[in-house]
Amino acid sequence: MARQRLAKNRALPPNLYLNTAGYYSYRDPYKKTQKGLGKDRAKAIQAARAANAAVATRETSSLVDWVLGRSDYTLAGWLPVYRELWEEKTQPTENTLSGTKSLLNRLGASDLGKMRMKHIETVHVSTYLTAFAKASGSAMGRNMRSKLNDIFRWAETQGVIEVGKNPVTATFNPEYKVKRERLSLEQFWAIHAHAPAWAKNAMMLALVTGQRRDDIGNMKFADYKDGYLRVAQGKSGGETKLQIDGAIRLAKVGASVGEVVSGCRDLIVSRHLVHYTERSITVKPGDMVQGNRISMAFQKAREKAGIEATEGRTPPTFHEIRSLAERLYREEFGADFAQAMLGHKSAQMTSKYDDLRGGWKAINAK
């Protein structure tokens, strides 16, 4: 990262500096050398702008190359173009963008990144993915394969490689084995007993709605209106919108969606269903609880409950409540209803909920 400029230099063109004696100097950003330009401010600024224009001609832009019709890219050279096209089309969430940036950085720095797109074959991709999965885990390996496939698919559409020559298509997904223990309802109640009040609310909301941790943390009292809880799922960028009937009730849990929402109300004034009830150095009562704090509270309560994983596996996390909810809803209402609750796509789902204006899906109690 470049050193932050002093206040006196911030109004000057890039690479132009003023020292304490009143002299201006220009610093070549590549050679790291400096040349004095005297005390005349106007002349120094003019000279610096001319020098910066010359520096700009040294720099290549993958996106400009693409606009001008260049097609002979290395994989690393194509990645900035791909990212521009991908972001414009998908409008990714912050989390998705952060994860993609990490994958692209690793890919660009690899030996595969140095190869010409047209010269990359399936064997090269397969070798890279095998090594990547071994170093980073099979889940990350699957993410990288999916991203590589999209990168080359975009390259096909833009004429960088021939259509039908995507080298990722024939590769296998790295084998993925779930090592995390499933959460039973008995374990849920054991952990629930050791959790603070706000974490109990988060757990109950996750169990009766089947929603993800961050969506639970984002729920507000205003989202529950006319007997329905509205959830715009963050993982889909808000495209999956559910309107969950408060009357939906899990018999084995002994609570409905509406009852759990009502149970989140206390003497604390807050917009958020899951909120802090005590003051600390960093938070005050009523503040929203961030997703990582929800996970940490669940982990601490799980440890207090003495729940451990079997050998070779990891103990259940807060996310496993979503899986538990799916299993309970499937047992009581059927697979299609369970899919509807979680926001998954299903051809048979139309009999369980109605399409509403704005893309909302109403999931009604049976």
Side-chain angles (χ1 to χ4, degrees):
M1 181 182 291
R3 182 178 57 189
Q4 187 175 8
R5 307 187 94 199
L6 299 176
K8 65 180 180 180
N9 293 325
R10 287 176 191 159
L12 300 177
N15 306 312
L16 181 63
Y17 297 89
L18 175 66
N19 66 19
T20 54
Y23 283 91
Y24 292 91
S25 62
Y26 183 84
R27 186 170 186 264
D28 188 309
Y30 289 96
K31 297 178 182 178
K32 309 301 181 184
T33 56
Q34 292 193 174
K35 179 175 176 59
L37 299 177
K39 289 190 173 184
D40 190 312
R41 181 181 179 87
K43 288 184 178 180
I45 290 176
Q46 183 180 14
R49 286 174 176 166
N52 285 337
V55 167
T57 63
R58 303 180 195 169
E59 301 175 356
T60 59
S61 168
S62 296
L63 188 57
V64 170
D65 286 343
W66 173 71
V67 170
L68 295 176
R70 177 187 167 192
S71 62
D72 188 22
Y73 289 93
T74 62
L75 177 55
W78 171 247
L79 294 181
V81 183
Y82 162 77
R83 181 175 165 186
E84 291 274 352
L85 296 170
W86 171 76
E87 284 188 32
E88 182 178 359
K89 180 175 175 61
T90 63
Q91 299 293 307
T93 62
E94 277 191 34
N95 284 344
T96 300
L97 183 58
S98 176
T100 293
K101 284 170 63 177
S102 176
L103 291 176
L104 296 186
N105 287 340
R106 295 182 67 175
L107 190 55
S110 68
D111 289 338
L112 190 67
K114 300 172 185 176
M115 295 183 65
R116 298 282 173 188
M117 294 282 284
K118 293 178 179 178
H119 296 165
I120 296 176
E121 298 179 1
T122 297
V123 65
H124 300 128
V125 176
S126 180
T127 300
Y128 172 75
L129 288 175
T130 298
F132 184 88
K134 185 176 182 180
S136 305
S138 56
M140 282 293 291
R142 292 166 75 90
N143 290 343
M144 179 60 85
R145 182 187 181 276
S146 176
K147 182 53 62 180
L148 264 172
N149 190 49
D150 197 50
I151 289 167
F152 278 94
R153 188 163 60 89
W154 270 103
E156 285 181 292
T157 66
Q158 302 303 316
V160 175
I161 62 172
E162 291 182 42
V163 175
K165 297 288 187 180
N166 184 340
V168 185
T169 306
T171 62
F172 293 101
N173 247 329
E175 185 178 357
Y176 180 63
K177 294 181 179 179
V178 178
K179 293 184 178 180
R180 189 170 58 227
E181 290 275 359
R182 288 298 189 204
L183 180 70
S184 68
L185 187 57
E186 293 74 16
Q187 290 174 327
F188 174 91
W189 289 123
I191 296 170
H192 183 273
H194 290 278
W198 60 261
K200 282 183 168 70
N201 290 338
M203 290 177 66
M204 290 300 295
L205 283 168
L207 189 60
V208 298
T209 69
Q211 301 307 301
R212 298 178 181 87
R213 182 197 69 181
D214 290 349
D215 292 326
I216 296 297
N218 287 328
M219 288 179 180
K220 301 179 180 65
F221 286 105
D223 296 332
Y224 190 74
K225 186 177 180 181
D226 299 326
Y228 285 86
L229 177 64
R230 288 195 168 195
V231 181
Q233 292 186 338
K235 189 172 183 179
S236 69
E239 290 185 6
T240 300
K241 299 177 179 179
L242 307 178
Q243 189 164 286
I244 304 172
D245 191 343
I248 294 174
R249 183 182 185 86
L250 276 172
K252 286 189 174 181
V253 177
S256 68
V257 173
E259 289 168 346
V260 172
V261 171
S262 296
C264 293
R265 291 197 178 277
D266 49 31
L267 298 178
I268 305 298
V269 177
S270 177
R271 297 168 56 204
H272 307 280
L273 296 185
V274 180
H275 54 268
Y276 288 106
T277 56
E278 296 181 358
R279 184 180 298 274
S280 70
I281 297 176
T282 57
V283 300
K284 62 181 183 295
D287 282 354
M288 170 185 175
V289 182
Q290 299 296 329
N292 63 328
R293 292 296 183 91
I294 294 175
S295 292
M296 289 171 61
F298 181 87
Q299 178 184 335
K300 289 180 180 179
R302 185 194 67 215
E303 291 171 352
K304 289 180 180 178
I307 296 172
E308 300 178 352
T310 55
E311 187 176 353
R313 302 179 74 84
T314 58
T317 64
F318 186 88
H319 185 73
E320 282 302 316
I321 301 177
R322 179 170 161 85
S323 173
L324 174 59
E326 190 276 335
R327 283 179 274 135
L328 291 176
Y329 274 112
R330 179 157 32 87
E331 288 174 12
E332 291 192 32
F333 300 101
D336 292 333
F337 191 91
Q339 284 186 314
M341 284 294 293
L342 271 64
H344 290 167
K345 305 295 182 184
S346 170
Q348 291 76 35
M349 224 187 279
T350 52
S351 62
K352 305 293 189 244
Y353 63 87
D354 304 314
D355 287 334
L356 303 181
R357 289 182 179 179
W360 292 91
K361 308 293 184 183
I363 309 170
N364 298 300
K366 287 190 172 184

